[in-house]
Amino acid sequence: MIFETLPTTPRAEELLDKAFSRAARSGRSKSGLEAQESMLVTASNIVSDNLENVVTSWPDFGTVDPFYRELADAVLRQSGVSRETPDGETAGVDALRGSLSEVTWASRQIREIRSEYQTKLRNADLDTGRKHRKQAFARIADILDEIEDDLLLVGTARDALRELPDIRPDEPAIVVAGYPNVGKSSFVNRVTRASNEIASYPFTTKGVQIGHFEWDRIRYQIIDTPGLLDRPEDERNDIERQAVSALEHLADAVLFLVDPSGDCGYPLDSQLELRDAVRDRFATRGVPVLTVCNKADRSRDVEADAYMSVTADEGVDDLLELAIEAVDYGPDIPPSRLDG
């Protein structure tokens, strides 16, 4: 996952303490102007290199997969990541990119300070050299003070994003939708042999289920997102709507489960209204939405693309085959039975 390996972001005070203490040690091993220059180079390199590493550890949001771009933006907005700009306030990924830009600026400024004061030290006596080195340290400290809030923002963003579930946009994905209690979790557990992970988004109240199964040597992701596609659009907040938008980039097919028996606690008409809304939403990207009648051993009183009963273990593999045909991913290989 692209955010999982992000390193801890140093705080401005911690970075400054580290740089100046290392500089002091390097200065003690030399004498005269050589000691002053060694301290300058050591401190400036530590700060500029650490700041550069902060920036380069992040992916380029201009080229990252749209799924992760939109999902990251939703997570960061939910986490309150924002910054003031001359034009007002920005939030989410735009705020993060702005702070990363400021950190890049700071790294370059500190390199320029190093070059400027190295030149001054070459033409100075020892007392003047000490003054130049102290001036350089003061300017480095001022720059770090100027980007202190940016480093804090980057650290907050890193903490919010690195725990996201490992969903891979380059693998075919089947998203499971439908009202609560229609059997989505049971279905995901069944087709993945319970080899799935439960992870969470900050904006969901239940864990997102992510499972995998193989069919004809191709690995498929199957994802249940409680709190997102289990209720009408007008009941979702802005962050949840944006997360659904991210899923539009990810999904290759959607399985919308309905329970015509009514055991789920939601009228069939309401379930079909939500199905229609989900179908319209994903149709803008050409993502097929299949209607699946679950608990078909109790009732088949609905027009559906597939009928199954997870509890009775009926029709599950047939549904998977239908879903894989809808995904239409990879080479045209004759279908085989689900690996068991």
Side-chain angles (χ1 to χ4, degrees):
M1 206 271 288
I2 60 174
F3 303 118
E4 186 177 14
T5 58
L6 290 172
T8 302
T9 306
R11 293 176 178 267
E13 184 177 355
E14 294 171 347
L15 185 52
L16 197 64
D17 288 345
K18 175 182 176 181
F20 287 175
S21 62
R22 295 260 186 97
R25 288 201 298 271
S26 70
R28 285 195 292 270
S29 64
K30 298 177 177 61
S31 61
L33 287 176
E34 185 181 6
Q36 302 305 309
E37 182 173 4
S38 177
M39 293 171 69
L40 168 67
V41 171
T42 299
S44 59
N45 284 351
I46 287 174
V47 175
S48 63
D49 289 350
N50 273 269
L51 294 180
E52 183 178 10
N53 289 338
V54 167
V55 177
T56 57
S57 65
W58 283 87
D60 180 358
F61 282 101
T63 60
V64 75
D65 188 276
F67 165 71
Y68 272 126
R69 173 65 166 77
E70 291 229 26
L71 184 61
D73 195 56
V75 170
L76 294 181
R77 289 176 185 273
Q78 177 69 20
S79 302
V81 172
S82 64
R83 67 191 299 271
E84 295 292 335
T85 70
D87 299 325
E89 185 179 73
T90 60
V93 166
D94 287 340
L96 172 59
R97 294 179 76 177
S99 287
L100 290 172
S101 178
E102 289 298 307
V103 174
T104 297
W105 166 84
S107 178
R108 291 171 179 169
Q109 286 293 112
I110 289 169
R111 289 195 190 98
E112 291 179 6
I113 289 171
R114 180 193 62 199
S115 297
E116 175 186 344
Y117 280 90
Q118 274 186 294
T119 300
K120 290 182 177 181
L121 284 172
R122 293 190 187 106
N123 302 308
D125 57 44
L126 182 56
D127 287 340
T128 304
R130 288 196 185 97
K131 291 179 182 178
H132 286 326
R133 190 263 304 163
K134 290 179 180 179
Q135 288 172 357
F137 277 18
R139 289 178 61 182
I140 292 172
D142 287 343
I143 289 173
L144 281 175
D145 184 61
E146 191 170 341
I147 63 163
E148 180 179 8
D149 290 343
D150 294 296
L151 289 173
L152 288 173
L153 186 150
V154 173
T156 299
R158 176 257 188 192
D159 293 342
L161 294 177
R162 68 188 305 268
E163 300 300 330
L164 284 180
D166 183 16
I167 298 176
R168 303 179 184 182
D170 59 338
E171 290 185 353
I174 299 169
V175 172
V176 183
Y179 268 102
N181 305 318
V182 297
K184 300 191 300 293
S185 295
S186 297
F187 171 67
V188 173
N189 283 330
R190 162 63 177 81
V191 301
T192 60
R193 306 303 187 197
S195 61
N196 51 353
E197 65 171 297
I198 306 294
S200 63
Y201 296 150
F203 43 78
T204 57
T205 56
K206 296 180 180 179
V208 174
Q209 263 192 311
I210 305 164
H212 303 89
F213 67 89
E214 286 193 4
W215 191 290
D216 288 330
R217 298 180 298 279
I218 296 174
R219 192 173 97 141
Y220 292 81
Q221 302 172 104
I222 186 161
I223 303 161
D224 174 22
T225 57
L228 296 181
L229 293 173
D230 62 358
R231 64 189 192 280
E233 176 87 5
D234 59 9
E235 295 182 17
R236 301 182 197 124
N237 60 36
D238 290 342
I239 302 298
E240 291 165 341
R241 292 190 189 100
Q242 187 171 359
V244 172
S245 179
L247 288 175
E248 291 175 36
H249 292 284
L250 175 72
D252 296 292
V254 177
L255 301 181
F256 192 95
L257 272 60
V258 297
D259 173 13
S261 74
D263 289 349
C264 67
Y266 298 92
L268 181 57
D269 287 347
S270 297
Q271 296 182 59
L272 294 178
E273 285 178 10
L274 178 58
R275 186 275 315 271
D276 292 343
V278 170
R279 178 183 288 165
D280 292 344
R281 182 79 184 252
F282 282 82
T284 59
R285 295 192 179 277
V287 178
V289 177
L290 305 181
T291 303
V292 181
C293 170
N294 190 27
K295 306 181 186 178
D297 54 331
R298 303 181 191 178
S299 173
R300 289 178 171 244
D301 190 20
V302 64
E303 184 177 346
D305 297 294
Y307 297 84
M308 73 170 181
S309 172
V310 177
T311 56
D313 200 20
E314 297 175 356
V316 177
D317 289 357
D318 291 338
L319 171 59
L320 277 186
E321 187 168 351
L322 185 65
I324 288 165
E325 290 175 0
V327 169
D328 192 24
Y329 178 89
D332 187 13
I333 302 174
S336 67
R337 298 299 294 171
L338 177 65
D339 293 339

